[in-house]
Amino acid sequence: MNAGRHLANLALIGFMGTGKTSVGRLVADQLRFEFLDTDDLIETRSGKAINDIFSQNGESAFRQLECDLVEELSSVRQTVISTGGGLPVSPANLDSLKQHALVVCLWSSPEKIFERVRDQSHRPLLQSPDPLARIRSLLATREPFYKRADVLINSEFRSIREVAQQVILQFRLATGQK
Ligand code: S3P
């Protein structure tokens, strides 16, 4: 699975609300890695909230910022990279991450995701009259892309700490560490 790859980093992919950022921070802490969140970096660099990028420049402009950032990430080392939920929909993004990172996907059901995100307003794609239906349809469309991850972990029934432990275990197995 890892032939020709140098797994210097760990990337977390998955739908909004599956715990990528919280788990990623904990994993980075425990591995003594840096932590980087693609959404945060895009917001900092553009000086705009993601909602504003979507409303002022459009989703395609945001996707381009993601692609540009993913290219840059090939030079980071010992970093946990938490990605925006739509980033792996571009196959080139996932291919690029796989060159240098073990890619772990966090997975939850639409109902659980809805429960986690229902009171939040910073995700433009969920500002819909029926967010649960939107989650179901987006998740169904994205499932084949998420399933290209090296490892799939169900985060629905586990605490953040338990998911982080699973992620670390998988990283240690993949990199041959005890
Ligand atoms: C998006 C997910 C968000 C953010 C943007 C678009 C998506 O990131 O990148 O709102 O397309 O699923 P999180 O998954 O961190 O919420």
Side-chain angles (χ1 to χ4, degrees), residues 85-96:
L87 185 143
V89 172
S90 162
N93 283 345
L94 201 52
D95 291 344
S96 176

Side-chain angles (χ1 to χ4, degrees), residues 16 39 42-43 46 48-66 84-87 121-127 134 138 142:
M16 303 171 249
D39 288 338
I42 288 173
E43 286 191 326
S46 64
K48 281 185 192 178
I50 286 172
N51 266 329
D52 295 332
I53 303 177
F54 269 68
S55 63
Q56 294 167 17
N57 310 90
E59 180 174 351
S60 61
F62 175 73
R63 298 299 172 203
Q64 188 57 52
L65 293 173
E66 283 188 319
L87 185 143
S121 59
H122 64 278
R123 293 182 172 100
L125 293 179
L126 299 183
Q127 282 157 27
R134 181 87 172 116
L138 269 176
R142 291 179 178 181

Side-chain angles (χ1 to χ4, degrees), residues 88-104:
V89 172
S90 162
N93 283 345
L94 201 52
D95 291 344
S96 176
L97 286 175
K98 279 188 170 181
Q99 294 288 324
H100 56 85
L102 181 77
V103 178
V104 177

Side-chain angles (χ1 to χ4, degrees), residues 96-135:
S96 176
L97 286 175
K98 279 188 170 181
Q99 294 288 324
H100 56 85
L102 181 77
V103 178
V104 177
C105 178
L106 303 188
W107 184 266
S108 292
S109 68
E111 293 73 21
K112 185 68 180 185
I113 290 169
F114 178 60
E115 195 184 300
R116 288 191 182 136
V117 303
R118 63 191 306 168
D119 296 325
Q120 302 173 349
S121 59
H122 64 278
R123 293 182 172 100
L125 293 179
L126 299 183
Q127 282 157 27
S128 139
D130 187 349
L132 179 57
R134 181 87 172 116
I135 292 168

Side-chain angles (χ1 to χ4, degrees), residues 2 6-7 12 22 26 32-33 35-36 49 59 63 66 79-80 96 100 102 113 121 128 132 139 150-151 153:
N2 302 322
H6 175 55
L7 302 177
L12 292 176
S22 321
L26 199 54
R32 297 204 173 84
F33 273 25
F35 174 76
L36 183 157
E59 180 174 351
R63 298 299 172 203
E66 283 188 319
T79 301
V80 175
S96 176
H100 56 85
L102 181 77
I113 290 169
S121 59
S128 139
L132 179 57
L139 194 57
D150 295 305
V151 180
I153 294 178

